[in-house]
Amino acid sequence: MTEAILIVGATGLIGNLLVRKLIADGRDKGLHLLVRKPLEGDYGAATVHAAPTQQWPEVIASIKAKRAVSCLGSTMKKAGSKEAFAAVDRDLVGSVGKAAKAAGAQQFITVSSTMANAEASGFYLKVKGQAEQLLRGENFKRLDIIRPGLLRGQRSGDPRLGESLAIIASPVMDRLLHGSLRRYRSIDGGEVASAIATLLHEEQPGAIIHENDAIWNLAGS
């Protein structure tokens, strides 16, 4: 029997690339995509569940996925306020994790951010760290926390001027970041997606943080 895999945030940069990779690799049977609005296009054998976020716990309970992936993430500009940003990047992530664990998930993979820390002074990194804290509290058999550096890739409908300028400068900046500073280098979204696809085979228990070097190794880059 094919095990069920749940992906939330399938329309974002990493989520979309991950879904496309799994479909291309013939791993779409048993794949469930949970989104807010119906999706257009071909998603192979994957099952798309479109529902308002308030209904997500109920949908997750019905799927009973063994493995769940959260690629959820917003921006301050897109969210419109700190409260709205935290509602997605912390509260919704935590809610998905809680529902997945209650439904029997053994593994949970979440895309966070380098330097995420629940005690950070910066709001963004603090929220990301708090989300990680909520997921740790669910005591999954296996928890994978992905902490990429600056993400490179084509995002639709969400222009980020500061980030775009940083990406343009990244080839030069990356060469200056060595040793422990390699975690801050830019990284392609496709490499992060490939790393997650590799982790979906993982059975070893534990809570593991994956920064750039680990992500590149998992992606085979």
Side-chain angles (χ1 to χ4, degrees):
M1 183 177 178
T2 303
E3 69 178 29
I5 297 174
L6 169 68
I7 298 178
V8 293
T11 59
L13 173 62
I14 302 303
N16 182 60
L17 289 169
L18 173 60
V19 170
R20 293 303 170 192
K21 176 168 179 56
L22 293 176
I23 292 173
D25 291 348
R27 298 172 64 188
D28 48 333
K29 189 176 181 181
L31 186 62
H32 295 261
L33 313 180
L34 181 53
V35 294
R36 295 181 181 90
K37 299 177 181 179
L39 298 178
E40 297 180 357
D42 183 7
Y43 287 88
T47 302
V48 178
H49 306 264
T53 55
Q54 299 94 318
Q55 296 177 14
W56 282 13
E58 180 181 344
V59 177
I60 293 171
S62 71
I63 296 170
K64 294 182 173 60
K66 180 181 177 181
R67 304 176 192 273
V69 183
S70 169
C71 298
L72 291 167
S74 186
T75 63
M76 288 295 296
K77 179 179 179 180
K78 188 174 181 179
S81 69
K82 287 185 175 181
E83 292 76 13
F85 174 79
V88 173
D89 284 58
R90 180 191 64 212
D91 302 340
L92 187 55
V93 170
S95 174
V96 167
K98 185 178 183 66
K101 181 63 188 298
Q106 298 294 300
Q107 181 186 26
F108 196 94
I109 303 173
T110 187
V111 179
S112 184
S113 173
T114 187
M115 293 181 66
N117 188 331
E119 304 301 323
S121 58
F123 182 76
Y124 177 87
L125 296 177
K126 183 175 184 176
V127 167
K128 290 293 189 181
Q130 289 172 339
E132 292 182 7
Q133 221 172 39
L134 289 173
L135 295 174
R136 287 179 183 275
E138 295 300 330
N139 295 311
F140 288 97
K141 179 181 178 182
R142 171 84 183 197
L143 174 63
D144 292 282
I145 298 172
I146 312 296
R147 289 185 181 173
L150 177 65
L151 284 171
R152 301 191 308 270
Q154 185 63 45
R155 292 181 172 90
S156 60
D158 185 22
R160 311 178 191 190
L161 178 59
E163 205 170 83
S164 298
L165 293 174
I167 290 171
I168 292 171
S170 64
V172 174
M173 296 303 298
D174 287 350
R175 286 195 286 269
L176 302 176
L177 300 172
H178 301 283
S180 62
L181 297 179
R182 284 168 57 87
R183 73 185 67 178
Y184 306 119
R185 286 186 177 185
S186 65
I187 185 168
D188 187 78
E191 293 174 313
V192 178
S194 293
I196 294 173
T198 299
L199 286 169
L200 283 169
H201 292 291
E202 187 58 60
E203 296 288 349
Q204 186 70 24
I208 300 96
I209 292 173
H210 308 274
E211 296 186 318
N212 275 353
D213 281 338
I215 294 169
W216 283 317
N217 287 336
L218 287 164
S221 301

